[in-house]
Amino acid sequence: MSAPARVLVVDDSPTMRGLITAVLSSDPEVNVIGQAGDALEAREAIKRLNPDVVTLDIEMPNMNGLDFLEKIMTLRPMPVIMVSTMTHRGAEATLAALEIGAFDCVGKPAPGELRPFGDLAEKVKAAARTQRQYSQPVAAVAPPPSVADFRVGRKIVAIGSSTGGVEALIAVLQKFPANCPPTVITQHMPPTFTKSFAERLNRLCAPVVQEATDGARLEIGKIYLAPGGERHLQVTSASAPCCRLVDRAPVNGHRPSVDVLFDSVAELAGRNAVGVILTGMGRDGAAGLLKMRHAGARTLGQNEKTCVVYGMPRVAHELGAVEQQLPLSAIGEEILKMTAARKEGTE
């Protein structure tokens, strides 16, 4: 058995520090080695205790969590899990933190929540195991091809991601031109965060990015992100392909689930689809991607070296669901190659 993950809990609220510590300490593979009430205390604790992982509150006195995270990633790169309020403001700050390099995020529990911080211990253990090189600078993103340079075919793109997915999706979607193929995405993310993430992607990318709504028709130049929380995203067709938000129990512990999305794309589009599985914990999406490949779709997986967590792509690769494993920097361009119209006609 490997040594327990050593964690420093940073939050200005003694009550919240106590709750996080209690949740983490219930797992024998996690050891809370210290607590800090602000960035100044946290800085000294990091120097003294050398934790494997830090949980970090976004809103703190003296220096907010976002500014402190930037200092950590510059001076002492390490896995950091952000703890955020489930508000629009909290979501915006958390998304910025994930772009800076935070490992993942969890939402602060609502009053009376039965399982506060339900998967925090699993995220901490995954963070402690990660081989990610936090000190590596983010590569510059090349501009996407122009509309005139890309002739879109008839394929639908479906993408699934989880831990590390914010950075990964930005890297992939910034390669897309304004006339990209219709693209549907399920990213594991707390409720209220997906709307802010869609808005952020829309500002950063050439196509239109929006949170998926029930009945929204899939159109060229548009990207649809599954809303977090209560429903799964599927793609269906009465007369034309459209988004459906369906009430179902969680699948693989997730709602929305990547498997639910991929299953629906396999049934609707078959060979006229491209499936992509990016960084993430667990196995959600692996079986659905295999179903897509069996239906004739092209399939891609992010390679181990560039994943924050090589979980979902690893399982998909082991099942035989992945046609090609590629570094993150190559995935966007490969999707465009697979979805471009042929010169003699469209696919």
Side-chain angles (χ1 to χ4, degrees), residues 30 84 104 134 191 205 330:
V30 178
S84 172
D104 208 338
Y134 280 89
C205 305

Side-chain angles (χ1 to χ4, degrees), residues 40-325:
L40 299 179
E41 290 181 12
R43 182 178 63 184
E44 295 306 315
I46 289 172
K47 291 178 182 177
R48 185 176 74 256
L49 300 172
N50 191 30
D52 299 319
V53 183
V54 171
T55 71
L56 180 59
D57 186 17
I58 291 262
E59 298 179 359
M60 296 188 300
N62 299 324
M63 180 186 297
N64 68 45
L66 212 55
D67 291 339
F68 186 50
L69 176 68
E70 287 189 296
K71 290 188 178 297
I72 291 175
M73 291 303 164
T74 301
L75 302 174
R76 171 64 166 81
M78 63 188 303
V80 176
I81 296 175
M82 305 306 294
V83 180
S84 172
T85 56
M86 304 292 279
T87 63
H88 182 79
R89 180 182 173 187
E92 284 287 322
T94 302
L95 292 169
L98 293 169
E99 289 180 45
I100 291 169
F103 178 83
D104 208 338
C105 66
V106 294
K108 288 189 175 181
E113 190 169 326
L114 294 178
R115 291 186 68 246
F117 301 113
D119 61 351
L120 178 57
E122 291 302 317
K123 290 184 176 182
V124 163
K125 290 186 287 185
R129 291 192 300 266
T130 184
Q131 300 299 307
R132 180 182 184 180
Q133 300 299 309
Y134 280 89
S135 58
Q136 289 183 348
V138 177
V141 177
S146 68
V147 170
D149 292 336
F150 180 71
R151 297 177 63 246
V152 65
R154 296 176 181 171
K155 290 186 176 178
I156 294 171
V157 177
I159 303 176
S161 52
S162 187
T163 304
V166 168
E167 288 177 288
L169 287 168
I170 290 171
V172 170
L173 299 180
Q174 283 189 325
K175 299 287 184 72
F176 281 22
N179 61 334
C180 73
T183 301
V184 285
I185 300 170
T186 289
Q187 156 74 30
H188 298 155
M189 189 171 276
T192 74
F193 282 34
T194 45
K195 187 175 189 299
S196 293
F197 186 35
E199 292 169 353
R200 197 171 191 87
L201 288 172
N202 192 51
R203 293 193 296 268
L204 294 171
C205 305
V208 174
V209 185
Q210 61 192 51
E211 195 175 43
T213 55
D214 191 55
R217 291 183 60 170
L218 299 192
E219 299 176 2
I220 290 170
K222 290 190 176 181
I223 298 169
Y224 308 83
L225 180 70
E230 299 181 352
R231 293 186 287 179
H232 297 282
L233 174 62
Q234 292 182 328
V235 175
T236 60
S237 176
S239 56
C242 64
C243 298
R244 287 294 177 208
L245 301 179
V246 296
D247 293 309
R248 279 178 54 187
V251 174
N252 301 316
H254 297 286
R255 186 169 55 200
S257 161
V258 181
D259 267 332
V260 172
L261 176 62
F262 283 176
D263 285 352
S264 70
V265 174
E267 293 173 6
L268 175 72
R271 63 184 296 273
N272 289 319
V274 173
V276 184
I277 194 160
L278 302 176
T279 175
M281 291 169 52
R283 61 184 303 119
D284 189 34
L289 193 68
L290 181 62
K291 186 172 181 178
M292 286 185 67
R293 191 172 188 189
H294 285 164
R298 309 292 300 274
T299 60
L300 300 172
Q302 187 175 348
N303 69 0
E304 181 174 8
K305 185 176 181 180
T306 62
C307 280
V308 171
V309 180
Y310 186 57
M312 289 159 49
R314 175 186 61 79
V315 177
H317 178 64
E318 291 173 350
L319 287 178
V322 176
E323 179 185 340
Q324 294 183 63
Q325 281 201 111

